[in-house]
Amino acid sequence: MEPHSIQIINSNSDNTITLDDEALRSIFARDEIKDRYVSVISVTGVFRQGKSFLLNFLLRYLRMKYVEKRDVLNWLTPEEGPLKGFEWSPGSKRHTTGIHMWSEIFLANLPSGDEVAIILIDTQGAFDTQATMSDCATIFALSTLISSVQIYNVMRSIKLYDLMHLQCFGDYGSLFTNGESAPFQNLCFLVRDWACPYEKQYGVDGGLTLLKEVFQSSTPEIKEQADSIKKIFDKMSCFLLPYPGRVVDASNTFGGDLREIDNEFKKHVQEFVTMILAPQHLIVKTVNGEKVKAESLMFYIQEYSKVLKGGTLPKVETVFKATVEAHYRGASAQALKVYKKNMNAECRYSRKCFTPIELYKKHTTNKVKSVDYYNKLKKFTDLEVHDKYLVQLKDCMDVEFKWYKEINDDKLREVEERKKRMEQQIRLTTGRAGGGSGLRTLGTAEKVGLAASVVGGVAVLALGVSKFFNNSRGNSD
């Protein structure tokens, strides 16, 4: 199937949201990414202002850089075909509802050595006639909670209501902070159709000048909003983009042909996309200062969607509780993998068989290692939730141990049966050779040969049993 947009959050007519858990798992539970760190880029803002259109520039770069491994010095040429990916449409009515993710995950290696999965998110536009203020805040809240870079798409300048939209979620940030850093990561104001390049040039430099002016405003309302926003984001930036051209803006037939987009826009959108997606600029998703892997992010999305689904924003304590739940749920899953990895190496993939006492010692030793791993992960102060998932972890390891015990018991049983068959073969062989007189009638060379056959047979058996049980679970781990 061709890569496509997958809706993971549905906006309902009763102003509630619904998580499509199957769609979510189709992305995050893949073996190739579930244990990778993630960089999540989300685009949000007012409806009908080109968010989906913008995302397709990001997709073009990601495909060429991380899939096709091609040169990205000049990646917006008409010869590569029209823009495609996230659907967009002309007109005044909203197109995207809820939250969508791109089905194709792009894998990158950062200069730090981290292996990262890059995920793109498209969100429902804010402030249309079909959505309430609560709807807008819910979508913005959820996309901000799960992203490492939130691109805030605004038109022509940064206005008071743009800041108010951000600040309406600001109260949630205060409870996430640990006093050492801001609760959320990167916010990038992307100003579209900037019309004053003679005052502030296109690009990041002009954007930073504009951002500084806004955040140093003496207007009380703007100053209040700006001060609130500065406290909840770790880093903020701004980029000024020119007008893309009359065909893109006003034509109902534009289909992504790059020849119909103004060259000045293409020049600066290339600069912007590279600033966001080049390996040295990718931002890994963190929660409470800890880097998050794909499987753990899935847990966060599941927990956040539960508390945000009701149509009204919940209390901040409820959102914080969801964060704690998702954190320890992910920590427990990672610690269980540590236990299984060690037990697989020592018991599942090993040719050795162990006595029940020896096997139980390995279980307890690896269980302690797994618990230590769980406890060393950066944690919140909620001991109730910590202990809840610690008990769950221990129970899961005990369940897994039963399976390893079955493997070991079957190995022992097969070896014993083979040993009996070998002894019977020896008795039959010696009986024929000496008329029932046993090994005493055999010469030295014959005795050595028989002994070697027994030892070799047992070794072959052990190897065969080991291979059988190595494959008995397929790729379930």
Side-chain angles (χ1 to χ4, degrees):
M1 180 182 294
E2 287 289 320
H4 58 287
S5 172
I6 297 178
Q7 187 165 7
I8 63 163
I9 296 291
N10 296 286
S11 292
N12 305 318
S13 57
D14 60 355
N15 300 323
T16 62
I17 63 169
T18 304
L19 171 68
D20 188 332
D21 197 62
E22 183 178 350
L24 183 70
R25 288 182 176 277
S26 73
I27 296 174
F28 286 95
R30 300 175 192 172
D31 290 336
E32 66 268 27
I33 74 156
K34 65 182 181 181
D35 290 323
R36 279 184 178 246
Y37 294 120
V38 287
S39 180
V40 185
I41 293 90
S42 169
V43 180
T44 190
V46 176
F47 81 109
R48 305 307 305 154
Q49 293 190 354
K51 297 184 300 298
S52 302
F53 171 67
L54 172 71
L55 277 162
N56 290 330
F57 287 97
L58 274 67
L59 275 177
R60 171 70 64 92
Y61 179 94
L62 287 169
R63 287 197 192 101
M64 292 183 67
K65 174 68 177 176
Y66 298 110
V67 178
E68 300 170 4
K69 311 293 184 183
R70 294 167 58 188
D71 180 15
V72 288
L73 290 177
N74 185 19
W75 49 273
L76 272 185
T77 58
E79 291 75 22
E80 300 294 338
L83 289 174
K84 58 182 180 179
F86 287 94
E87 293 184 3
W88 80 89
S89 63
S92 59
K93 296 181 180 179
R94 71 180 184 184
H95 184 77
T96 303
T97 61
I99 294 179
H100 295 244
M101 287 185 176
W102 192 249
S103 65
E104 185 177 16
I105 306 300
F106 304 92
L107 306 180
N109 294 316
L110 304 190
S112 64
D114 286 335
E115 295 181 331
V116 172
I118 306 169
I119 299 170
L120 292 186
I121 293 179
D122 191 12
T123 63
Q124 174 180 316
F127 308 128
D128 72 340
T129 58
Q130 301 176 57
T132 66
M133 187 67 178
S134 178
D135 293 335
C136 300
T138 298
I139 295 298
F140 181 76
L142 186 52
S143 63
T144 303
L145 284 165
I146 65 179
S147 63
S148 50
V149 177
Q150 180 72 285
I151 299 173
Y152 189 29
N153 192 69
V154 300
M155 294 301 287
R156 298 180 179 84
S157 189
I158 301 174
K159 297 169 284 295
L160 177 60
Y161 77 82
D162 296 323
L163 300 180
M164 291 177 64
H165 182 206
L166 289 173
Q167 201 274 333
C168 72
F169 183 57
D171 291 340
Y172 288 80
S174 62
L175 197 55
F176 284 81
T177 182
N178 55 14
E180 299 175 0
S181 61
F184 306 114
Q185 291 181 259
N186 286 31
L187 175 68
C188 177
F189 289 91
L190 180 62
V191 180
R192 307 286 291 273
D193 297 2
W194 176 248
C196 304
Y198 47 87
E199 291 181 358
K200 299 173 185 66
Q201 61 184 339
Y202 298 128
V204 67
D205 291 336
L208 290 176
T209 301
L210 175 64
L211 190 62
K212 185 177 180 180
E213 283 185 5
V214 171
F215 276 63
Q216 291 181 348
S217 172
S218 59
T219 304
E221 287 181 301
I222 294 180
K223 189 175 188 307
E224 179 185 354
Q225 303 291 341
D227 289 344
S228 175
I229 294 166
K230 283 191 288 187
K231 293 177 182 177
I232 63 173
F233 285 95
D234 181 57
K235 183 179 179 182
M236 285 187 291
S237 59
C238 181
F239 195 99
L240 306 182
L241 270 181
Y243 182 62
R246 183 68 178 169
V247 174
V248 177
D249 181 43
S251 172
N252 63 356
T253 61
F254 176 68
D257 189 338
L258 292 171
R259 292 169 296 185
E260 297 178 327
I261 303 174
D262 283 4
N263 289 331
E264 190 74 6
F265 179 87
K266 287 188 287 188
K267 171 185 173 182
H268 291 289
V269 81
Q270 285 189 87
E271 180 186 343
F272 172 73
V273 171
T274 302
M275 183 185 82
I276 297 293
L277 296 178
Q280 66 272 24
H281 299 310
L282 286 171
I283 305 298
V284 175
K285 174 62 184 170
T286 63
V287 174
N288 198 34
E290 180 183 342
K291 290 186 288 189
V292 175
K293 294 184 177 180
E295 185 178 48
S296 294
L297 183 59
M298 178 177 70
F299 297 152
Y300 281 109
I301 296 172
Q302 290 169 336
E303 295 297 331
Y304 289 148
S305 64
K306 289 177 185 177
V307 300
L308 292 170
K309 68 180 180 181
T312 58
L313 288 175
K315 296 179 180 179
V316 289
E317 292 84 356
T318 307
V319 179
F320 183 68
K321 188 76 170 180
T323 300
V324 176
E325 285 277 343
H327 170 79
Y328 283 118
R329 184 180 170 193
S332 179
Q334 292 297 318
L336 180 61
K337 289 179 181 178
V338 170
Y339 169 83
K340 292 170 72 174
K341 180 180 178 180
N342 291 334
M343 288 295 287
N344 283 342
E346 296 176 14
C347 303
R348 180 180 177 185
Y349 301 136
S350 173
R351 301 178 184 181
K352 297 179 181 178
C353 302
F354 303 98
T355 66
I357 294 177
E358 290 173 333
L359 186 68
Y360 189 75
K361 284 183 178 179
K362 291 188 177 295
H363 165 63
T364 54
T365 298
N366 289 317
K367 192 173 179 180
V368 169
K369 290 179 181 179
S370 181
V371 170
D372 286 345
Y373 178 88
Y374 176 82
N375 287 328
K376 286 178 182 177
L377 291 174
K378 192 167 185 178
K379 49 186 178 289
F380 295 87
T381 57
D382 194 324
L383 293 179
E384 180 183 351
V385 181
H386 170 275
D387 293 345
K388 168 187 168 182
Y389 283 100
L390 178 59
V391 170
Q392 178 179 300
L393 170 63
K394 291 178 178 179
D395 290 344
C396 288
M397 287 189 288
D398 289 338
V399 170
E400 289 292 327
F401 175 66
K402 293 178 181 178
W403 182 73
Y404 289 111
K405 186 176 182 299
E406 289 177 4
I407 289 179
N408 192 69
D409 288 346
D410 286 341
K411 284 183 181 181
L412 288 171
R413 185 163 49 251
E414 289 294 328
V415 170
E416 186 62 30
E417 291 176 358
R418 184 62 181 268
K419 180 182 176 182
K420 289 179 181 179
R421 290 196 293 270
M422 288 296 180
E423 289 176 346
Q424 184 179 9
Q425 182 180 353
I426 290 173
R427 287 195 295 270
L428 291 173
T429 302
T430 55
R432 288 194 298 270
S437 59
L439 286 171
R440 289 172 296 178
T441 64
L442 295 177
T444 300
E446 292 170 308
K447 291 178 181 178
V448 171
L450 281 171
S453 68
V454 172
V455 173
V458 172
V460 170
L461 169 70
L463 177 60
V465 170
S466 175
K467 288 183 177 179
F468 173 78
F469 286 105
N470 288 350
N471 296 323
S472 63
R473 275 194 170 185
N475 295 320
S476 62
D477 294 329

